[in-house]
Amino acid sequence: MELIAYDDFLLMIIPIVVYWVYSGIYEVLGSSEKYRLHSRKDEETKNLASKRDVVKGVLFQQVLQATITVVVTKLTHEEAKPETNTNTSWFAAASQFMVAMVVFDTWQYFVHRYMHHNKFLYRKFHSWHHRIVAPYAFAAQYNHPVDGIITETVAGALAYFVSGMSKTTAALFFSFATVKGIDDHCGLMLPWNPFHILFGNNTAYHDIHHQLAGNKRNFAQPFFVTWDKIMGSYVPYTVVKRENGGFEARVAKH
């Protein structure tokens, strides 16, 4: 009997590989100050966690999440979903993607918001993520393990089961969510970035949340800003050029 099914392996491994490859691309693109929201000096002096600790923390988080994925898939004993015709399959996958995005966003918004408003939870768990004051790509998943499980792993599980997607579709969805989360934390305002065109929730939007002025605002992640607007936690922002190159995201003055 095989230890782990092939589709389970893909569901577990692909998002991790995507994380390090995609964040690595952003690190290369951030070698110039031209598009950075924070200078390299700010990245080195303002952040309270070293890059070595961030890498170790993210890897531990990913191993933990992969282990949970294996255990859950083994316990659920899900049978492979039969494919219908190609058009129906693509339509079903697109519909499941949208449902998963809404479920994922909804869970993350309310848990994330509560983590900020509950002093114990923030101090004990979520403050780990906010040790990164000047965000960069591969710190996107730097969380306390408890925070990572509650906020991200549970969100992913709910999105998967509620949407009814296959494991192949799930691997694509989680890879997409991973890429979007990296983009939100990359600290780069690239002019050709499609995420900045398609989503109001983008790099600058989330950068505001990592600032002191926006710490209890702009909780939404990673796709839409809808819940922030409904719940009154949305704060508009402007992006201005820095004198020494790059950009800066600022809370907009009313």
Side-chain angles (χ1 to χ4, degrees), residues 138-206:
F138 67 83
Q141 291 182 6
Y142 178 64
N143 300 301
H144 187 286
V146 172
D147 186 7
I149 291 171
I150 295 173
T151 307
E152 295 185 4
T153 309
V154 175
L158 288 172
Y160 173 68
F161 288 114
V162 173
S163 68
M165 59 176 57
S166 68
K167 291 176 183 176
T168 302
T169 303
L172 293 174
F173 172 75
F174 293 131
S175 295
F176 177 62
T178 296
V179 167
K180 183 62 174 63
I182 291 169
D183 187 79
D184 291 346
H185 291 84
C186 72
L188 301 175
M189 292 300 293
L190 299 169
W192 41 262
N193 190 331
F195 289 122
H196 294 180
I197 299 171
L198 297 173
F199 295 94
N201 194 337
N202 55 40
T203 309
Y205 186 84
H206 195 67

Side-chain angles (χ1 to χ4, degrees), residues 37-55:
L37 284 173
H38 300 274
S39 67
R40 282 204 171 274
K41 182 179 179 181
D42 286 346
E43 199 174 280
E44 293 169 1
T45 59
K46 290 185 177 180
N47 290 334
L48 305 178
S50 70
K51 289 191 173 182
R52 180 178 179 180
D53 286 343
V54 167
V55 170

Side-chain angles (χ1 to χ4, degrees), residues 12-252:
M12 178 179 69
I13 292 298
I14 288 179
I16 296 176
V17 173
V18 167
Y19 183 89
W20 292 106
V21 171
Y22 199 73
S23 60
I25 293 171
Y26 272 128
E27 285 300 305
V28 173
L29 293 173
S31 59
S32 167
E33 293 287 332
K34 187 175 181 180
Y35 301 117
R36 294 175 66 95
L37 284 173
H38 300 274
S39 67
R40 282 204 171 274
K41 182 179 179 181
D42 286 346
E43 199 174 280
E44 293 169 1
T45 59
K46 290 185 177 180
N47 290 334
L48 305 178
S50 70
K51 289 191 173 182
R52 180 178 179 180
D53 286 343
V54 167
V55 170
K56 286 163 48 179
V58 171
L59 286 172
F60 179 77
Q61 179 78 18
Q62 290 174 335
V63 169
L64 188 61
Q65 289 180 336
T67 303
I68 292 172
T69 300
V70 171
V71 171
V72 170
T73 52
K74 287 292 183 183
L75 290 176
T76 54
H77 297 292
E78 181 189 3
E79 298 293 332
K81 295 178 174 65
E83 296 291 340
T84 55
N85 66 66
T86 303
N87 291 334
T88 304
S89 298
W90 277 107
F91 177 78
S95 301
Q96 290 164 347
F97 243 72
M98 286 304 301
V99 171
M101 288 168 76
V102 171
V103 172
F104 201 83
D105 257 28
T106 299
W107 178 267
Q108 288 218 344
Y109 174 82
F110 286 101
V111 172
H112 186 197
R113 180 182 176 125
Y114 189 65
M115 284 278 186
H116 274 269
H117 285 278
N118 184 295
K119 292 181 179 179
F120 171 79
L121 292 178
Y122 183 83
R123 184 178 67 253
K124 191 72 176 176
F125 304 119
H126 191 60
S127 62
W128 275 42
H129 184 67
H130 284 273
R131 292 174 182 175
I132 307 301
V133 180
Y136 54 89
F138 67 83
Q141 291 182 6
Y142 178 64
N143 300 301
H144 187 286
V146 172
D147 186 7
I149 291 171
I150 295 173
T151 307
E152 295 185 4
T153 309
V154 175
L158 288 172
Y160 173 68
F161 288 114
V162 173
S163 68
M165 59 176 57
S166 68
K167 291 176 183 176
T168 302
T169 303
L172 293 174
F173 172 75
F174 293 131
S175 295
F176 177 62
T178 296
V179 167
K180 183 62 174 63
I182 291 169
D183 187 79
D184 291 346
H185 291 84
C186 72
L188 301 175
M189 292 300 293
L190 299 169
W192 41 262
N193 190 331
F195 289 122
H196 294 180
I197 299 171
L198 297 173
F199 295 94
N201 194 337
N202 55 40
T203 309
Y205 186 84
H206 195 67
D207 190 81
I208 293 294
H209 176 70
H210 277 260
Q211 299 175 17
L212 184 61
N215 187 258
K216 291 191 177 181
R217 296 289 186 271
N218 292 8
F219 298 114
Q221 57 182 36
F223 302 115
F224 311 114
V225 300
T226 309
W227 281 116
D228 271 321
K229 290 189 173 182
I230 291 173
M231 301 300 294
S233 52
Y234 176 88
V235 64
Y237 64 90
T238 58
V239 178
V240 298
K241 287 188 175 182
R242 284 190 276 115
E243 289 184 6
N244 297 325
F247 298 91
E248 181 182 350
R250 296 177 180 174
V251 174

